[in-house]
Amino acid sequence: MAPIKTAIIGLSANAITGWAAAAHLPYLLSAEGRAKFQIVALLNSSEKAAKEAIATYGLPAETRAYGDPEALAADAEVEFVVNSTRVDNHYPTAIASVR
């Protein structure tokens, strides 16, 4: 089975000890994780912030950066979304992808 094309919401370059960086990212970047998931997109508070996180964590250059949940939801390549925002931000950042 091909890796599931995955987007991460809330991987901040400024919060290297944050939930996404500490809990989700290590597995997604491990050999086992890469066999199952391919990070293809990142949504942060702005496109600039997403690009900074892509650089900070050494994600592939082709990882798409988004600052708008609707733009992420319109990305037909994304098959799975990991939401690593604070709980109060889950709904507004994820609902477009759920629809």
Side-chain angles (χ1 to χ4, degrees):
M1 181 169 132
I4 299 166
K5 294 178 180 171
T6 304
I8 302 175
I9 301 174
L11 178 63
S12 173
N14 298 323
I16 293 177
T17 59
W19 180 251
H24 293 299
L25 195 60
Y27 176 77
L28 292 171
L29 295 179
S30 72
E32 182 180 2
R34 285 179 189 252
K36 296 176 183 178
F37 302 95
Q38 176 188 3
I39 300 170
V40 298
L42 178 60
L43 169 68
N44 276 351
S45 58
S46 69
E47 186 175 330
K48 179 182 180 225
K51 287 178 179 177
E52 289 172 357
I54 289 167
T56 296
Y57 297 105
L59 300 179
E62 62 272 10
T63 305
R64 291 178 298 287
Y66 295 106
D68 173 41
E70 295 290 338
L72 173 63
D75 186 333
E77 188 179 10
V78 173
E79 300 171 322
F80 180 67
V81 176
V82 175
N83 193 330
S84 296
T85 62
R86 291 187 331 254
V87 172
D88 60 315
N89 286 322
H90 275 49
Y91 184 85
T93 57
I95 191 62
S97 292
V98 172
R99 291 184 182 143

